[in-house]
Amino acid sequence: MGFKHLNYIGIGLIFLLMLLGCSPESTIEDTLEPVNSKALLKSNTFYGPQISLGKGHVRSWIRIAKDGTPEELGVEMSKKLLNQLPKGDDPVQLVLPLHKKAMDVTPFNHVLFDWNPHGHEPDGVFTVPHFDVHFYLTSVAAREAIPTYPEAKPQFDNYPPPGYLPADYITPPDGGTAVPMMGTHWIPLSFAPPFTNILLYGTYDGEVTFVEPMNTVAYIESGVPFSEAYSQPTKFTKTSYYPTVYNVYQNSKDQKQIISLSEFVHREAE
């Protein structure tokens, strides 16, 4: 989530959790293996540039079938990265560019990758070491232009019309999860601590701007693969292929750690 600047974020999320407690429950390779299916022979994988993190690196990638449809979009962390991460007090925020082919066949523009050595607010919920992986539908320039909540209250409070967010996602009022250079964060009603894996949506000025898997280091280090469908909107602003499942796993061939989106479905804009 990347709560680097605002203390009121924690208050908003605590309020949100109280609500939840009351709610019902271009290199071409063929080496990446998603959790939920075998890697298809008739597909190619295209990579974004490597970005340094600690003594390792991260980068984006997409696997595309020979017919041009996307199969899996994600980030990979180098083999020993989890043992070589920066251990300072401050989060590390990286922009991971997407390969052009990823931008051609999905609605996403770039990835904002956060390493949080001590987690972030609220205390006792997300205050564990974890990664926030924001898949942005907007440009870097548009995202970086988002100011603080007091500076742009009308834009933050301008939520998308009904249908453009899943019905089972909520956010507290009055900017409780509004973050500059990110947007407003939406949490699924089904979420209950302790936090291991979760997928958030983000919005700003009437539009959905990102989807965000959040994953703890402890879970990734466990080696247990994770794959789960997440709630979908019923309306979309751009005709494209949209993912419906998010995954956490280790590539069995090179031991790189993977956080990805998969099971893409073609959606028509409304």
Side-chain angles (χ1 to χ4, degrees):
M1 201 179 283
F3 305 133
K4 189 174 176 181
H5 303 287
L6 303 178
N7 290 330
Y8 59 77
I9 296 289
I11 298 172
L13 278 177
I14 290 171
F15 173 82
L16 178 56
L17 290 169
M18 291 172 63
L19 290 177
L20 293 176
C22 299
S23 301
E25 287 277 57
S26 35
T27 304
I28 300 178
E29 298 179 1
D30 295 315
T31 58
L32 296 172
E33 299 179 11
V35 169
N36 50 5
S37 65
K38 294 180 180 179
L40 301 178
L41 294 177
K42 294 184 178 180
S43 59
N44 294 326
T45 301
F46 302 89
Y47 292 92
Q50 291 186 358
I51 307 296
S52 295
L53 178 61
K55 295 181 180 179
H57 67 264
V58 294
R59 62 178 174 179
S60 69
W61 57 271
I62 187 167
R63 194 177 70 245
I64 301 177
K66 289 292 178 64
D67 65 3
T69 59
E71 296 173 343
E72 191 171 9
L73 172 70
V75 299
E76 67 169 25
M77 295 174 271
S78 53
K79 181 178 178 180
K80 297 181 179 180
L81 180 66
L82 296 183
N83 300 321
Q84 302 171 328
L85 288 164
K87 301 184 184 298
D89 293 332
D90 296 328
V92 178
Q93 191 174 86
L94 304 172
V95 174
L96 307 184
L98 295 178
H99 192 283
K100 183 179 182 300
K101 288 184 178 292
M103 293 189 284
D104 289 342
V105 297
T106 78
F108 300 108
N109 177 271
H110 68 283
V111 176
L112 184 65
F113 183 95
D114 287 354
W115 157 233
N116 301 282
H118 305 289
H120 52 64
E121 297 167 315
D123 289 343
V125 181
F126 296 134
T127 44
V128 293
H130 71 272
F131 299 102
D132 298 335
V133 185
H134 309 76
F135 291 85
Y136 264 89
L137 290 82
T138 56
S139 68
V140 173
R143 175 182 58 76
E144 291 183 342
I146 298 174
T148 64
Y149 181 76
E151 295 174 290
K153 186 179 185 299
Q155 288 78 21
F156 278 106
D157 291 346
N158 179 21
Y159 300 152
Y164 289 92
L165 275 171
D168 60 347
Y169 271 70
I170 62 172
T171 193
D174 300 323
T177 60
V179 182
M181 296 191 291
M182 286 189 182
T184 295
H185 294 70
W186 295 71
I187 295 179
L189 280 167
S190 59
F191 174 69
F195 155 59
T196 54
N197 303 307
I198 185 174
L199 186 135
L200 278 57
Y201 278 87
T203 64
Y204 184 72
D205 200 14
E207 295 185 356
V208 174
T209 53
F210 64 81
V211 294
E212 178 194 355
M214 296 172 57
N215 310 99
T216 65
V217 171
Y219 186 87
I220 295 173
E221 288 180 331
S222 75
V224 178
F226 174 87
S227 185
E228 183 173 282
Y230 61 94
S231 297
Q232 298 292 305
T234 58
K235 297 180 180 180
F236 300 84
T237 57
K238 179 181 179 180
T239 298
S240 189
Y241 287 92
Y242 289 79
T244 62
V245 171
Y246 73 106
N247 315 288
V248 182
Y249 62 97
Q250 184 182 81
N251 186 330
S252 61
K253 294 185 178 180
D254 59 18
Q255 286 74 59
K256 292 178 180 178
Q257 302 292 343
I258 304 296
I259 299 172
S260 72
L261 305 174
S262 62
E263 300 295 326
F264 282 77
V265 176
H266 190 262
R267 313 288 198 184
E268 293 290 336
E270 292 191 32

